[in-house]
C-alpha cells in the first residue's frame, strides 16, 4: 500500500520546513511594521496594534480559505506567492511612509488595503507548503513540524524586531530585508522544483527582477525616508533616528530648529523659551531655594537649562526613557547649544529608564519635580497621566515641594486638560492650573501639584526673555472658553484621557 512515508527527513522536506521558518518570520515583520507605523503616525498604539493585527489575522484566514482553489502546479503557485509577498510586504513600510507625506487623506485606506493584501498572501503560503509536503510526510508529523517551525519563526522575529532590527536598520530597511528573504525562498523553491516547473525561464526572470528591485530599494532606503520626511516636515531635516521607543526628527527652517517625536512637534527654537520658562519658573521661584530637582521626560535638556539658573540647586535628576534623546542633546554640537550644554553640567544626573518604574523604586525626595512628557496620544504615555502615577509622584515630593505637569492645550483639548487636574486632586494634591501662549503650539496649559497652596513668587531669575514677576499671575486667569468643566479621574484601568484627547485633537485635524 502506497502513501506518505515517516522515515527520516528528506532534503526537500528539510528545505521546505526551513522555508516555513522564514515565511513565518517575514509575515510577522510585515504585521509588526504596519502596526508600529500606524501607531507612530496615527497615535493610540493599543487601538492601532489591535486593529492591524485583527485585520491581518482575518486576511490570513481569507488566504487559507482561498488555498483550496489551488489544485495543480503547487510549487509554481508557491513561488509566485513568495515573490508577491516579497515585493508588496517588503515595500510596505516605504509605501506607507511616502503615503503619509504625499497622500495623507488616503493613508488609512492604503494601510488597511496593504495589510489585507499581504495577510491574504501570507495566509496562502502555509497551506500550500503543507500540501506539497504531504507527498512524503504523514499527516500527524506534517502538522507538528510545520506549526513548530512557524511558531519558532514568529518567536525569533518578535524578539529581534524591537531590540535589533528597527534600532539598527530602521523600519524601511527592515521591511526590505525580509522582503529579500521572501524572494530568496522563491529562488530556493525554483531550484528545488526545477524539474516540475513549467516555463522555468519566466520564473527565473521574475525572481531576478524581484531581487533587483528589493536590493535597489534597500540601497536607497535613506533617500526614500528623506523624500517622505522632507515633504512631511517641510523644513530641511538635519537629524533623524529611529530608537526602540520613537522616531526622532530634527529640522531647520524659518523657525530655527524644531524637534519632532513620532511626527509630533516638541519644540521650535524660535519660541521654545516661552514654553520652558512657563514650565519651570513658576514652581522653582515659588519654592524658594530648591536644592534637589527631578525632571521626568524633557530629554532635550531645555527644562534643565532653566532649572540651572537657580544657584541653590545642588542636583538635577533627569529621567528620560530614550537614551538616544539624551545622547543627541548632549553630544550634537548645535542641539547641545540650544540647551546651553545643560546636560553636561556636573549637577545633572541622567537616568535612562521608564519614569513610572523609577518612581516605584525607593529614592530621594525632591523640592521640585518637572513633568515634561509628550501628550497622551497612546496608552503607553497615558499611564503617566493616571492617578497611580500621581500617587507615586506625591511620595517623592518634599513637604514644601511643587510638581508641575505639562498638560496639553486647555483651549483645543479642554476636557483633557481638566481631566488631568481632576486626577491630580484625586490623590490628595492641590491642582493649580495655568496657561500661556506659545506661537508654535497655540494656547498651552500646565498644572502645579502640591500639598501647600501655590503663591506667586516676588522675584524671578534675571535674563528671562518672556516671564516677569509682574506678568506671571496673568497666566493663572482662565477665560470662559477654557474654564473648568466636569471630568472623570484618569485611571490605569480605564485610561479615559487617551480617548478624550484623541477625540478633541481629532476634531482639529479633521477641520
Amino acid at each position: 500500500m502506497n502513501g506518505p512515508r515517516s522515515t527520516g527527513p528528506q532534503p526537500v522536506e528539510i528545505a521546505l520546513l526551513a522555508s516555513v521558518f522564514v515565511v513565518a518570520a517575514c509575515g510577522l515583520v510585515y504585521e509588526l511594521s504596519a502596526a508600529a507605523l500606524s501607531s507612530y503616525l496615527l497615535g493610540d498604539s493599543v487601538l492601532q496594534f489591535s486593529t492591524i493585527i485583527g485585520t491581518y489575522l482575518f486576511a490570513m484566514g481569507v488566504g487559507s480559505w482561498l488555498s483550496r482553489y489551488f489544485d495543480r502546479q503547487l510549487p509554481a503557485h508557491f513561488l509566485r506567492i513568495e515573490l508577491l509577498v516579497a515585493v508588496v510586504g517588503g515595500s510596505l513600510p516605504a509605501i506607507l511612509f511616502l503615503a503619509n507625506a504625499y497622500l495623507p487623506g488616503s493613508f488609512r485606506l492604503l494601510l488597511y488595503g496593504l495589510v489585507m493584501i499581504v495577510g491574504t498572501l501570507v495566509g496562502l503560503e502555509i497551506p500550500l507548503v503543507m500540501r506539497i509536503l504531504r507527498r512524503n510526510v504523514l499527516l500527524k508529523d506534517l502538522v507538528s513540524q510545520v506549526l513548530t517551525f512557524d511558531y519558532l519563526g514568529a518567536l525569533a522575529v518578535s524578539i529581534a524586531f524591537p531590540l535589533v532590527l528597527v534600532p539598527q536598520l530602521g523600519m524601511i530597511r527592515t521591511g526590505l530585508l525580509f522582503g529579500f528573504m521572501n524572494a530568496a525562498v522563491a529562488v530556493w523553491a525554483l531550484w528545488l522544483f526545477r524539474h516540475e516547473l513549467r516555463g522555468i525561464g519566466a520564473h527565473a526572470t521574475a525572481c531576478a527582477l524581484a531581487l533587483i528591485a528589493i536590493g535597489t530599494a534597500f540601497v536607497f532606503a535613506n533617500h526614500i525616508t528623506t523624500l517622505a520626511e522632507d515633504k512631511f516636515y517641510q523644513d530641511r531635516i538635519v537629524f533623524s533616528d529611529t530608537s526602540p521607543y520613537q522616531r526622532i526628527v530634527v529640522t531647520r527652517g524659518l523657525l530655527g530648529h524644531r524637534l519632532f517625536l513620532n511626527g509630533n512637534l516638541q519644540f521650535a527654537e524660535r519660541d521654545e523659551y516661552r514654553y520652558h520658562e512657563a514650565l519651570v519658573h513658576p514652581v522653582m521661584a515659588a519654592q524658594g531655594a530648591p536644592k534637589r530637582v527631578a525632571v521626568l521626560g524633557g530629554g532635550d535638556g531645555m527644562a534643565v537649562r532653566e532649572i540651572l539658573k537657580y544657584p541653590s540647586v545642588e542636583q538635577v535628576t533627569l529621567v528620560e526613557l530614550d537614551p538616544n534623546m539624551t545622547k543627541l542633546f548632549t553630544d550634537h554640537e548645535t542641539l547641545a547649544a540650544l540647551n546651553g550644554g545643560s546636560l553636561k553640567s556636573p549637577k545633572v544626573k541622567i537616568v535612562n529608564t521608564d519614569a513610572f518604574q523609577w518612581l516605584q523604586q525607593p529614592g530621594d525626595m525632591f523640592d521640585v519635580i518637572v513633568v515634561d512628557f509628550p501628550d497622551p496620544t497612546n496608552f503607553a504615555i497615558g499611564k503617566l497621566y493616571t492617578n497611580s502615577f500621581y500617587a507615586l509622584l506625591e511620595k517623592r515630593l518634599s513637604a514644601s515641594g511643587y510638581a508641575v505637569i505639562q498638560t496639553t492645550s486647555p483651549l483645543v483639548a479642554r476636557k483633557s486638560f481638566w481631566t488631568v487636574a481632576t486626577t491630580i486632586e484625586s490623590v490628595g494634591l492641590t491642582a493649580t492650573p495655568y496657561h500661556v501662549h506659545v506661537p508654535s503650539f497655540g494656547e498651552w496649559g500646565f498644572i502645579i501639584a502640591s500639598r501647600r497652596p501655590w503663591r506667586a513668587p516676588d522675584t524671578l531669575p534675571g535674563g528671562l526673555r518672556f516671564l516677569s514677576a509682574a506678568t506671571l499671575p496673568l497666566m493663572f486667569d482662565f477665560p470662559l472658553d477654557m474654564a473648568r468643566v466636569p471630568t472623570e479621574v484618569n485611571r490605569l484601568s480605564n485610561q479615559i484621557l487617551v480617548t478624550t484627547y484623541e477625540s478633541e485633537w481629532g476634531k482639529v485635524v479633521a477641520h
Side-chain angles (χ1 to χ4, degrees):
M1 182 175 179
N2 296 325
R5 302 187 306 275
S6 59
T7 56
Q10 305 299 309
V12 171
E13 177 187 339
I14 295 172
L16 284 174
L17 289 174
S19 299
V20 170
F21 181 91
V22 175
V23 162
C26 294
L28 187 58
V29 162
Y30 306 142
E31 180 181 3
L32 290 174
S33 296
L37 274 172
S38 63
S39 65
Y40 279 5
L41 302 173
L42 301 177
D44 195 347
S45 58
V46 173
L47 174 63
Q48 302 309 327
F49 269 85
S50 179
T51 55
I52 292 296
I53 290 172
T55 303
Y56 192 84
L57 291 175
F58 169 75
M60 287 181 65
V62 172
S64 297
W65 181 80
L66 290 174
S67 68
R68 65 194 295 178
Y69 296 104
F70 292 79
D71 291 326
R72 301 178 181 178
Q73 290 288 305
L74 294 182
H77 291 310
F78 177 71
L79 187 152
R80 295 186 192 103
I81 289 167
E82 285 305 296
L83 290 179
L84 285 171
V85 174
V87 174
V88 180
S91 60
L92 183 145
I95 293 172
L96 291 179
F97 262 120
L98 291 169
N100 182 60
Y102 291 90
L103 299 168
S106 304
F107 179 81
R108 288 180 187 269
L109 178 63
L110 187 60
L111 168 67
Y112 287 97
L114 286 172
V115 169
M116 279 295 300
I117 292 171
V118 174
T120 301
L121 292 172
V122 171
L124 283 165
E125 291 174 315
I126 300 301
L128 291 182
V129 169
M130 292 181 71
R131 289 168 63 186
I132 295 170
L133 281 169
R134 193 174 60 183
R135 305 168 181 175
N136 300 312
V137 184
L138 290 173
L139 180 62
K140 65 181 182 69
D141 296 328
L142 171 64
V143 173
S144 65
Q145 290 175 1
V146 169
L147 292 182
T148 296
F149 278 84
D150 185 39
Y151 295 148
L152 285 174
L155 173 64
V157 162
S158 66
I159 296 171
F161 184 81
L163 298 179
V164 179
L165 295 171
V166 173
Q168 298 299 320
L169 296 176
M171 200 74 73
I172 290 180
R173 279 206 168 110
T174 295
L176 292 168
L177 172 64
F178 280 80
F180 192 89
M181 291 170 65
N182 265 128
V185 169
V187 173
W188 188 235
L190 179 69
W191 171 256
L192 283 178
F193 301 106
R194 60 192 181 280
H195 301 301
E196 297 182 40
L197 293 171
R198 301 172 184 172
I200 192 168
H203 289 305
T205 301
C207 289
L209 290 174
L211 288 170
I212 291 170
I214 294 169
T216 302
F218 189 91
V219 171
F220 291 99
N222 286 341
H223 296 278
I224 296 172
T225 303
T226 301
L227 183 66
E229 291 186 333
D230 281 350
K231 174 68 174 179
F232 181 79
Y233 295 109
Q234 302 298 320
D235 296 335
R236 182 172 62 90
I237 294 173
V238 296
F239 178 87
S240 61
D241 185 33
T242 300
S243 77
Y245 309 104
Q246 58 201 348
R247 177 70 175 169
I248 304 170
V249 174
V250 179
T251 67
R252 183 169 184 175
L254 295 177
L255 297 178
H257 290 88
R258 294 196 293 171
L259 170 67
F260 295 86
L261 299 181
N262 293 340
N264 297 311
L265 179 65
Q266 303 302 304
F267 75 75
E269 181 181 356
R270 189 173 73 173
D271 57 22
E272 59 81 14
Y273 66 91
R274 280 181 163 242
Y275 173 93
H276 290 103
E277 287 184 11
L279 172 69
V280 169
H281 295 295
V283 288
M284 288 291 291
Q287 203 283 334
K291 294 181 178 180
R292 305 183 70 86
V293 181
V295 179
L296 311 184
D300 52 40
M302 306 296 185
V304 176
R305 176 195 66 202
E306 299 301 317
I307 290 167
L308 291 176
K309 292 178 179 178
Y310 292 81
S312 64
V313 172
E314 296 176 357
Q315 185 180 49
V316 181
T317 302
L318 173 62
V319 183
E320 163 63 48
L321 176 64
D322 193 346
N324 290 35
M325 274 288 291
T326 49
K327 187 177 188 305
L328 173 63
F329 282 88
T330 301
D331 298 338
H332 192 290
E333 183 177 353
T334 302
L335 299 178
L338 296 180
N339 62 40
S342 63
L343 299 186
K344 296 179 181 179
S345 169
K347 293 183 178 182
V348 177
K349 175 186 176 184
I350 297 174
V351 181
N352 292 123
T353 190
D354 179 84
F356 202 107
Q357 295 178 9
W358 180 79
L359 285 176
Q360 289 176 318
Q361 306 302 318
D364 298 327
M365 302 290 285
F366 295 94
D367 301 313
V368 171
I369 301 177
V370 176
V371 183
D372 192 17
F373 298 130
D375 279 4
T377 55
N378 58 60
F379 292 111
I381 301 175
K383 72 177 183 180
L384 305 174
Y385 289 82
T386 59
N387 61 340
S388 299
F389 181 83
Y390 296 134
L392 294 172
L393 191 74
E394 187 267 342
K395 293 178 180 179
R396 302 293 285 274
L397 197 61
S398 66
S400 60
Y402 293 108
V404 61
I405 297 103
Q406 92 78 17
T407 322
T408 196
S409 171
L411 180 63
V412 175
R414 183 178 177 183
K415 191 172 182 179
S416 298
F417 179 86
W418 292 108
T419 295
V420 177
T422 300
T423 305
I424 290 170
E425 292 169 343
S426 73
V427 300
L429 293 171
T430 298
T432 307
Y434 63 102
H435 62 98
V436 65
H437 183 74
V438 182
S440 296
F441 295 121
E443 204 66 37
W444 212 255
F446 309 87
I447 298 176
I448 297 170
S450 59
R451 296 188 184 90
R452 58 171 175 155
W454 178 86
R455 292 183 180 178
D458 295 326
T459 60
L460 294 174
L464 300 187
R465 301 170 60 188
F466 172 59
L467 283 186
S468 69
T471 59
L472 189 149
L474 300 176
M475 298 192 302
F476 292 79
D477 182 30
F478 280 75
L480 290 177
D481 58 356
M482 294 192 291
R484 188 159 192 167
V485 292
T487 56
E488 298 179 52
V489 175
N490 185 45
R491 307 176 189 275
L492 276 175
S493 58
N494 61 28
Q495 290 256 29
I496 59 167
L497 179 60
V498 174
T499 52
T500 301
Y501 178 90
E502 286 292 322
S503 172
E504 291 182 312
W505 278 99
K507 294 177 181 177
V508 177
V509 174
H511 288 84

